[in-house]
Amino acid sequence: MNEQLVTCTALTKRYSSKTALTGVNLELGRGRIVGLLGPNGSGKTTLIKILCGLLQPTEGAVLVDGSPVGPYTKSIISYLPDRMYFADWMKATDLFDLFADFYADFDRTKALNMCASLGVTPSDRIKSMSKGTKEKVQLVMVMARKAQLYLLDEPIAGVDPAARDFILNTILTNYNEEGTVLLSTHLISDIETVLDEVVFLKDGSVTLHDGVDSIREREGKSVDALFREIFRAHNMEGGAF
């Protein structure tokens, strides 16, 4: 087991006319809840997709538990994308079967218990579920695994404040505490209390990576206030919020 769970070295991702990530150097340890923070278009989703193997970097290297991204790293990563990808005809119980086949660390009993606590009926078809219930099912599938790295892309976007609290509590009470949660969002005030450390992404570059307590002591303000200060200036300079 490697001391650093994630290591990115000079990581760059370019599309034909746009650079999404520029020379990202980042190390993440174990047993942490890390906020990946930045405005829309800062590179958060691109970084997450590279970590889970959905995108290939243009330059640089990525290691997860000391291994290049591939079959092994995919077996220890649990990924929550920013949009639903399950087929509408399936039931949650069908998804349990699918995940049990794919992932040795999937815990069906835990998934059923989470469904009960979230008010989800596993025998219902996905097409009959509300948008909020579909999101809960997707969260159940991700958090019912005993993964080493949980990659959660905007898990609280588009839901009401009460649902945000419920989702965060579900994440906190179900992740593998020997693993690490990397949670991307621009809604910092809603998640700041659960974070151990934060990574600020600005125009595809890491501008800050530090512990939440260290930031508060050094800056004399919350992470949310610091974020607003930095990115308000960024926005006034013509950047996209």
Side-chain angles (χ1 to χ4, degrees):
M1 183 180 288
N2 284 268
E3 182 180 346
Q4 295 298 335
L5 182 56
V6 173
T7 304
C8 299
T9 307
L11 185 63
T12 297
K13 178 62 179 178
R14 284 190 291 270
Y15 300 99
S16 56
S17 59
K18 179 188 175 187
T19 300
L21 295 173
T22 306
V24 169
N25 294 303
L26 180 65
E27 290 188 340
L28 300 178
R30 298 176 182 276
R32 313 290 286 166
I33 299 181
V34 183
L36 181 62
L37 312 180
N40 294 332
S42 58
K44 301 189 301 295
T45 295
T46 297
L47 177 57
I48 284 176
K49 286 185 173 180
I50 287 174
L51 288 173
C52 61
L54 293 174
L55 290 175
Q56 296 296 315
T58 307
E59 296 170 9
V62 178
L63 297 177
V64 180
D65 193 28
S67 297
V69 175
Y72 168 68
T73 65
K74 292 179 182 182
S75 75
I76 63 169
I77 289 175
S78 195
Y79 168 51
L80 179 73
D82 58 355
R83 63 193 66 189
M84 188 78 173
Y85 67 94
F86 300 133
D88 269 359
W89 59 265
M90 299 181 87
K91 302 173 184 177
T93 48
D94 296 325
L95 296 176
F96 296 169
D97 293 339
L98 184 67
F99 269 53
D101 284 344
F102 268 91
Y103 302 110
D105 59 11
F106 180 74
D107 187 333
R108 186 186 296 264
T109 300
K110 190 173 185 179
L112 286 167
N113 290 339
M114 289 172 67
C115 282
S117 68
L118 292 168
V120 174
T121 304
S123 58
D124 287 349
R125 293 193 186 279
I126 290 173
K127 66 181 177 184
S128 71
M129 296 176 181
S130 68
K131 180 176 181 289
T133 302
K134 289 177 182 178
E135 290 173 349
K136 288 177 181 178
V137 169
Q138 191 160 261
L139 184 65
V140 165
M141 305 311 296
V142 170
M143 302 311 301
R145 291 183 53 203
K146 192 175 181 179
Q148 291 190 45
L149 178 61
Y150 299 84
L151 299 174
L152 312 180
D153 196 355
E154 297 283 1
I156 59 172
V159 298
D160 62 69
R164 288 174 193 168
D165 291 342
F166 212 56
I167 287 169
L168 287 173
N169 185 60
T170 300
I171 293 167
L172 284 173
T173 54
N174 288 282
Y175 82 101
N176 171 20
E177 292 186 3
E178 295 175 359
T180 282
V181 177
L182 181 63
L183 192 161
S184 117
T185 189
H186 58 279
L187 302 169
I188 295 104
S189 62
D190 293 288
I191 68 160
E192 182 170 341
T193 56
V194 309
L195 299 178
D196 296 308
E197 57 192 70
V198 294
V199 177
F200 279 14
L201 267 185
K202 181 176 178 180
D203 296 330
S205 297
V206 173
T207 61
L208 176 71
H209 178 204
D210 204 350
V212 169
D213 291 340
S214 297
I215 290 171
R216 291 180 184 139
E217 290 172 13
R218 184 178 66 248
E219 302 291 339
K221 62 186 70 173
S222 68
V223 172
D224 182 50
L226 179 63
F227 178 88
R228 290 174 182 274
E229 180 182 296
I230 290 172
F231 289 101
R232 184 181 296 115
H234 170 58
N235 194 37
M236 291 172 66
E237 291 163 6
F241 213 121

